[in-house]
Amino acid sequence: MSGKSTSLARKSHEIPASDPLEPAYSIAREPNPSLIDPLDPYIYTTGRWLKQDVLERESRYIRFDFAALCQKVVKVCRGADRVIRYEKKEGGFNRSFIFIMDSGEQIVARLPTCIAGPPRLTTNSEVATMTYIKSHTTLPLPRILDWSDDKSNPIGAEYIIMEVVAGVNLHERWPTMTGRQHMLCVKSLSMMIREMAAIAFPGYGSLYFSDAPIDPNLKLEFNDGFCLGPHCGATYWNCNVDEARIYGESNHDRGPWPDLPSYCSGLIETGFARIPKAKLQADERLSYQGSIEDHIRLLNTSREVIKRLISHSPIRNAASSTLLHADLNKRNIYVSDDDPTIITGLIDWQSTSVEPAFVYANETPDFAEHPDITLLAHCDREMPAAEGEPRKDQKYKDALICNQTFDVCMKGFVPKLRAARALDDTILRPFRYCHTSWRDSAAAVRQELIEVSKRWTELGLAGAVPYLPTEEEMAEHKKQYEEFENVQKLKSWLIRALNTNSDGWVPADAWEWSKMGHRDAFEKWMQAARDAEAAGDDEMTEEKARRMWPFDES
């Protein structure tokens, strides 16, 4: 799952012989924590948000018949007569229940929220992708027992019911593994990426069963009852919180795409579709974010720049249709507890899609990410590590070996990614940001166009430089980009200080502390702005400071 996910520590709830739980139909603005059942199957209980908290939680509310889900689980589990208890786990886009049966077996049921992706297509694509990968590779995927992509079923929601994966979660096991085990585990996972990347596809988009509820004109049939269809990533459908209100439903190019030019056209058209249709007041956005007219001009420029880029043979050679797990990180990987170098399961295939290989060029999973240099720089060499715990400098070396192992495997064993990882990242950034220009800001997109144009000849690109802003435009851009960077620095500082993420999510048990810390930080920020304005600072006003603040004011 693309994006960022959150997880809930497992808690168990006993289920009486007949206990149809009733859903709550409203989300309180400030719910009483003592009245919230963390195992309520309908509402999101794992965390809260410092921005649009009520809307975020409402978007993760799932209305369905929990008793009917329990009955379905009993039906698919041979030898079981009833569910005796369940555990609830939540991510950013789904809710999972681990049911413990009276027979001793465990079954998992997973339900998507409305922000997971387009109705029906998201579930159909996930099941089709798992089925196809399972039949064309040796990857260990959980066996699907039942599923439905039609919420008119008796349960009242889309669902996937699967066997529980054997082993332990790699995120939990990783801290107790040796450096050698880390390296061997990374190597095993790299070979699984090799298997996925080796599969050929006739274009780009999401994988579906041939009978998926899709317009026949939007299907690329290719093999054994499967087809490529529209990309079910949330960005193409404006499924994220509040996006439908802002952008509407005007995107008509979601794929599938038979070739690279049509894929790139889809990116640009998605960028246009994600520009608000209503005229905005001039003071509603900071200058670096750009007006509607700015974004239209930038997208037209991006179209021409990308058209030139894809005529470059190294980019075409790095554009092979490639399917890789969308969120191959430790929380979605299970390993043997006895030998954690043995992978026992890969879960959460939602939003996995077929992309040009260069989309994955610089993606590094968390089990192989480059260690932060500060881990070694701040290593206290005088304080011995606890017994059995590796020193920080050894942890750094182990992490570096994992990073190098992953890089060597990608370049040595995955030809599609070898070509992609050889590309300079400057070339790839216009592809990465053009379809989300309104979200990322005009200054950010313009900077990428400037960078690639500035290095056009150095990067071996043919022809005249495609984007040449005037001196006046460059001076204005420099000012706006500096403002953009200042906002990013403010947000990064808040993320570290409040132990949150870019969306403002915090764990439920840390909510009160984070809320107080946020309020204190906001008051100090506003006071500093008032002081600057009183001192005659033309660059900062109280109103501007409010608009720069990345979270809600209270």
Side-chain angles (χ1 to χ4, degrees):
M1 171 172 68
S2 61
K4 297 176 179 62
S5 60
T6 54
S7 62
L8 176 70
R10 292 185 175 185
K11 296 181 180 178
S12 176
H13 180 74
E14 300 288 337
I15 299 184
S18 59
D19 180 23
L21 301 180
E22 293 296 328
Y25 292 105
S26 65
I27 301 294
R29 185 167 294 277
E30 279 300 331
N32 185 339
S34 65
L35 300 180
I36 297 176
D37 178 3
L39 285 154
D40 185 316
Y42 310 103
I43 65 173
Y44 183 85
T45 57
T46 304
R48 302 284 297 273
W49 282 264
L50 295 170
K51 182 177 182 179
Q52 297 183 306
D53 176 58
V54 173
L55 189 57
E56 291 279 5
R57 288 182 290 128
E58 285 178 342
S59 298
R60 290 164 174 81
Y61 174 83
I62 304 177
R63 183 174 184 174
F64 69 106
D65 188 332
F66 185 67
L69 178 62
C70 292
Q71 292 168 6
K72 173 62 73 173
V73 168
V74 170
K75 184 176 180 180
V76 301
C77 184
R78 293 182 179 178
D81 294 318
R82 59 184 291 261
V83 174
I84 57 173
R85 67 178 187 276
Y86 71 91
E87 298 167 355
K88 172 184 167 184
K89 300 189 75 175
E90 294 183 306
F93 303 96
N94 302 277
R95 186 163 305 132
S96 295
F97 303 97
I98 300 176
F99 293 101
I100 294 84
M101 317 303 291
D102 58 354
S103 62
E105 287 191 69
Q106 296 186 20
I107 302 293
V108 61
R110 190 160 170 269
L111 282 66
T113 64
C114 66
I115 58 174
R120 302 204 67 178
L121 301 190
T122 302
T123 298
N124 189 292
S125 179
E126 182 172 8
V127 175
T129 299
M130 292 178 67
T131 304
Y132 196 81
I133 289 291
K134 199 174 179 68
S135 62
H136 287 77
T137 71
T138 63
L139 273 59
L141 274 66
R143 186 165 70 95
I144 295 173
L145 302 175
D146 194 43
W147 65 281
S148 174
D149 62 5
D150 185 353
K151 71 174 185 178
S152 66
N153 62 55
I155 292 169
E158 299 178 35
Y159 65 85
I160 303 174
I161 298 175
M162 299 169 280
E163 291 182 337
V164 170
V165 173
V168 296
N169 188 262
L170 182 58
H171 179 77
E172 299 171 3
R173 188 68 170 84
W174 192 264
T176 61
M177 292 165 61
T178 66
R180 176 174 170 76
Q181 287 174 328
H182 285 158
M183 183 271 292
L184 292 174
C185 184
V186 169
K187 184 178 179 182
S188 296
L189 289 164
S190 297
M191 293 303 101
M192 292 183 177
I193 292 174
R194 178 190 185 185
E195 281 196 73
M196 284 186 273
I199 304 174
F201 295 95
Y204 313 107
S206 292
L207 188 60
Y208 299 91
F209 292 111
S210 291
D211 61 356
I214 299 171
D215 182 338
N217 296 318
L218 297 177
K219 293 181 180 180
L220 291 177
E221 304 283 352
F222 70 97
N223 192 10
D224 304 331
F226 294 89
C227 69
L228 283 181
H231 198 298
C232 64
T235 300
Y236 289 92
W237 298 83
N238 299 333
C239 290
N240 292 319
V241 172
D242 211 27
E243 285 187 346
R245 180 188 65 82
I246 297 171
Y247 305 127
E249 299 290 341
S250 59
N251 190 2
H252 300 297
D253 191 355
R254 301 173 172 123
W257 304 283
D259 51 38
L260 186 58
S262 60
Y263 173 86
C264 294
S265 177
L267 292 179
I268 296 296
E269 292 307 315
T270 298
F272 278 116
R274 287 171 64 83
I275 295 176
K277 303 304 175 281
K279 198 76 173 178
L280 301 176
Q281 296 295 325
D283 61 353
E284 284 188 52
R285 287 165 64 82
L286 294 163
S287 62
Y288 78 86
Q289 293 172 310
S291 65
I292 288 175
E293 293 75 16
D294 290 333
H295 284 270
I296 291 173
R297 284 193 294 271
L298 282 170
L299 281 168
N300 282 322
T301 300
S302 296
R303 188 199 306 274
E304 294 307 311
V305 170
I306 287 175
K307 188 182 297 183
R308 295 277 298 281
L309 288 174
I310 62 175
S311 67
H312 187 50
S313 58
I315 292 180
R316 293 198 306 273
N317 294 338
S320 300
S321 299
T322 306
L323 183 146
L324 297 181
H325 192 292
D327 189 17
L328 191 63
N329 289 302
K330 288 182 282 193
R331 292 186 186 277
N332 290 327
I333 300 166
Y334 281 75
V335 297
S336 166
D337 197 17
D338 295 330
D339 182 357
T341 68
I342 298 174
I343 314 302
T344 60
L346 303 178
I347 65 170
D348 193 1
W349 290 82
Q350 190 177 79
S351 299
T352 296
S353 54
V354 182
E355 309 277 357
F358 62 69
V359 169
Y360 306 106
N362 293 294
E363 290 191 1
T364 302
D366 61 357
F367 55 78
E369 61 188 2
H370 195 284
D372 186 351
I373 194 67
T374 57
L375 181 65
L376 185 58
H378 292 92
C379 175
D380 185 351
R381 295 179 181 276
E382 296 183 4
M383 289 292 292
E387 184 177 354
E389 179 183 336
R391 291 174 58 94
K392 286 186 178 179
D393 53 350
Q394 185 59 50
K395 288 182 180 180
Y396 180 90
K397 292 174 184 175
D398 288 348
L400 188 60
I401 289 171
C402 288
N403 176 263
Q404 293 170 342
T405 299
F406 182 78
D407 188 55
V408 168
C409 287
M410 294 303 100
K411 292 177 179 176
F413 300 116
V414 189
K416 289 181 181 178
L417 295 187
R418 181 191 309 134
R421 291 171 80 88
L423 290 172
D424 191 298
D425 194 50
T426 303
I427 293 177
L428 300 177
R429 288 179 190 146
F431 298 93
R432 200 173 293 152
Y433 299 116
C434 65
H435 61 306
T436 55
S437 76
W438 188 262
R439 182 195 70 189
D440 297 330
S441 83
V445 175
R446 189 185 299 112
Q447 180 67 18
E448 303 307 342
L449 295 173
I450 290 171
E451 287 293 329
V452 73
S453 297
K454 186 167 63 176
R455 298 184 58 202
W456 193 262
T457 303
E458 175 194 340
L459 293 168
L461 299 166
V465 175
Y467 181 56
L468 290 170
T470 65
E471 287 186 14
E472 292 78 11
E473 289 171 337
M474 283 298 295
E476 180 61 23
H477 168 72
K478 183 178 179 182
K479 180 180 176 181
Q480 291 183 7
Y481 194 68
E482 185 175 314
E483 187 175 85
F484 165 78
E485 289 187 313
N486 288 336
V487 171
Q488 302 315 305
K489 289 175 184 176
L490 170 63
K491 190 169 186 178
S492 295
W493 176 79
L494 286 170
I495 287 172
R496 293 192 303 271
L498 301 174
N499 194 28
T500 183
N501 63 15
S502 60
D503 295 323
W505 181 89
V506 294
D509 57 6
W511 172 246
E512 292 301 325
W513 177 88
S514 295
K515 188 169 62 170
M516 287 189 293
H518 173 258
R519 186 182 299 117
D520 182 60
F522 177 72
E523 289 173 356
K524 290 179 178 177
W525 169 255
M526 292 306 301
Q527 186 58 52
R530 285 189 286 268
D531 292 344
E533 187 174 12
D537 186 346
D538 295 334
E539 297 299 318
M540 180 58 74
T541 65
E542 185 175 350
E543 180 56 32
K544 182 177 179 180
R546 288 185 187 278
R547 284 186 278 134
M548 288 178 70
W549 194 255
F551 303 131
D552 292 340
E553 294 182 12
S554 60

